[in-house]
């Protein structure tokens, strides 16, 4: 293993090649359920934090087009974007909180900067669910406020909402040991949005791509979502340019 790869893997979890049941019978967009085979990959143990994202900002990541897809570069330059939204908001900018207020373009550029990528939707679900068909990252126990940062009935108790540390909820640990995969912030995936899984005919390293500008899948729910979004199989999607305080991300390295 070369030194650069070893450095990248320091805060990641290696997920071995395996088979899992993707989807569920709980929502039409999670169907049909299917046995999916994934090659091994590494995934960040936690969502990317503000401290980690600061490296990209301070290294001139917003000023170097080589890290950006052409459409993303056009988006940030035409809108004069130099850092994430909420970058100076004390409710969301703590070092150990997940970075938020970032478009899909920004998440993708950060991943490219570090020689990584965004997870496919299947990779994200496998890292969360594993092979035991658990409903939530931690198992089948219904969520409580000891498990995650979420909102009952999508109605947060605090109107002045804030994110929480990626280490705030030790119970919020997935099958493979990833932290903070439910609640707090949803997470961008590589896939474009699809209404269900009927497009997948092989079940081999699935990835749904249309064009980058189309809506993209997010996973994991956020502090404004209810307990149903905490499920490993739950899906949502947003416009590629959204920079609200609902979404963060974590990175992967494919084919480890």
């Amino acid at each position: 293993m070369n030194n650069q790869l070893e450095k990248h893997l320091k805060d990641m979890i290696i997920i071995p090649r395996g088979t899992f049941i993707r989807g569920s019978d709980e929502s039409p967009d999670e169907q049909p359920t299917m046995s999916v085979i994934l090659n091994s990959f590494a995934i960040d143990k936690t969502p990317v934090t503000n401290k980690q994202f600061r490296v990209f900002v301070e290294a001139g990541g917003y000023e170097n087009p080589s890290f950006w897809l052409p459409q993303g570069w056009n988006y940030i330059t035409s809108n004069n974007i130099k850092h994430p939204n909420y970058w100076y908001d004390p409710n969301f900018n703590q070092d150990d909180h997940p970075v938020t207020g970032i478009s899909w373009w920004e998440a993708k550029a950060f991943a490219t900067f570090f020689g990584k990528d965004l997870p496919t939707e299947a990779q994200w679900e496998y890292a969360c669910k594993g092979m035991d068909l658990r409903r939530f990252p931690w198992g089948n126990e219904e969520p409580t406020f000891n498990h995650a940062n979420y909102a009952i009935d999508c109605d947060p108790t605090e109107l002045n909402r804030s994110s929480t540390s990626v280490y705030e909820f030790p119970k919020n640990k997935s099958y493979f040991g990833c932290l903070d995969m439910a609640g707090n912030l949803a997470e961008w995936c590589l896939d474009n949005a699809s209404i269900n899984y009927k497009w997948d005919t092989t079940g081999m390293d699935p990835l749904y791509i249309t064009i980058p500008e189309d809506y993209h899948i997010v996973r994991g729910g956020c502090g404004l979502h209810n307990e149903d979004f905490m499920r490993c199989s739950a899906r949502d999607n947003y416009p590629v340019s959204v920079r609200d305080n609902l979404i963060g991300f974590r990175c992967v390295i494919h084919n480890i």
Side-chain angles (χ1 to χ4, degrees):
M1 185 182 295
N2 64 52
N3 290 338
Q4 187 69 12
L5 180 58
E6 200 168 342
K7 181 180 177 182
H8 283 331
L9 291 174
K10 184 169 71 74
D11 298 313
M12 304 184 83
I13 292 174
I14 295 177
I15 310 294
R17 177 183 169 90
T19 303
F20 80 108
I21 303 300
R22 181 194 55 203
S24 80
D25 295 326
E26 297 191 49
S27 178
D29 69 333
E30 300 166 26
Q31 299 171 17
T33 57
M34 183 178 186
S35 180
V36 167
I37 300 172
L38 294 178
N39 281 313
S40 61
F41 61 97
I43 189 167
D44 289 341
K45 185 173 183 178
T46 71
V48 173
T49 63
N50 289 301
K51 181 178 181 180
Q52 291 169 326
F53 201 88
R54 190 174 298 116
V55 175
F56 176 69
V57 175
E58 294 181 350
Y62 279 86
E63 299 155 15
N64 188 337
S66 66
F67 305 125
W68 297 81
L69 293 174
Q71 306 93 323
W73 181 249
N74 179 64
Y75 173 72
I76 67 156
T77 54
S78 62
N79 290 282
N80 197 31
I81 293 171
K82 303 293 185 183
H83 53 71
N85 228 349
Y86 306 95
W87 195 235
Y88 297 107
D89 186 331
N91 279 12
F92 295 96
N93 72 353
Q94 306 304 306
D95 274 1
D96 61 351
H97 288 216
V99 66
T100 191
I102 50 159
S103 63
W104 186 87
W105 306 119
E106 291 162 273
K108 179 71 170 168
F110 174 94
T112 300
F113 175 80
F114 279 100
K116 300 181 182 182
D117 203 352
L118 298 179
T120 69
E121 189 179 9
Q123 286 174 331
W124 194 98
E125 185 171 330
Y126 184 42
C128 187
K129 179 191 285 183
M131 294 170 284
D132 63 3
L133 297 178
R134 59 182 60 192
R135 292 186 76 228
F136 304 101
W138 52 83
N140 294 317
E141 183 182 350
E142 289 295 317
T144 69
F145 291 133
N146 291 319
H147 289 97
N149 175 358
Y150 69 102
I152 294 174
D153 297 327
C154 298
D155 184 17
T157 54
E158 293 289 339
L159 293 179
N160 189 27
R161 188 176 65 88
S162 65
S163 56
T164 45
S165 166
V166 297
Y167 306 107
E168 179 80 11
F169 300 97
K171 289 184 177 181
N172 195 344
K173 181 184 285 190
S174 78
Y175 178 93
F176 288 106
C178 295
L179 300 177
D180 212 35
M181 293 192 91
N184 207 6
L185 294 176
E187 300 179 14
W188 286 118
C189 290
L190 198 55
D191 300 63
N192 288 109
S194 59
I195 60 172
N196 53 42
Y197 295 124
K198 290 181 180 179
W199 56 267
D200 183 11
T201 59
T202 69
M204 292 286 296
D205 282 313
L207 173 62
Y208 183 76
I209 294 291
T210 54
I211 58 172
E213 298 94 325
D214 285 346
Y215 280 45
H216 278 264
I217 291 289
V218 300
R219 289 301 202 107
C222 75
L224 283 178
H225 283 120
N226 65 17
E227 49 271 42
D228 188 59
F229 283 91
M230 305 299 102
R231 295 183 297 105
C232 300
S233 301
R235 315 167 73 214
D236 204 353
N237 62 84
Y238 285 92
V240 69
S241 59
V242 70
R243 303 180 80 231
D244 208 344
N245 57 18
L246 306 173
I247 310 173
F249 69 106
R250 71 182 75 214
C251 298
V252 301
I253 299 175
H254 304 292
N255 299 313
I256 288 296

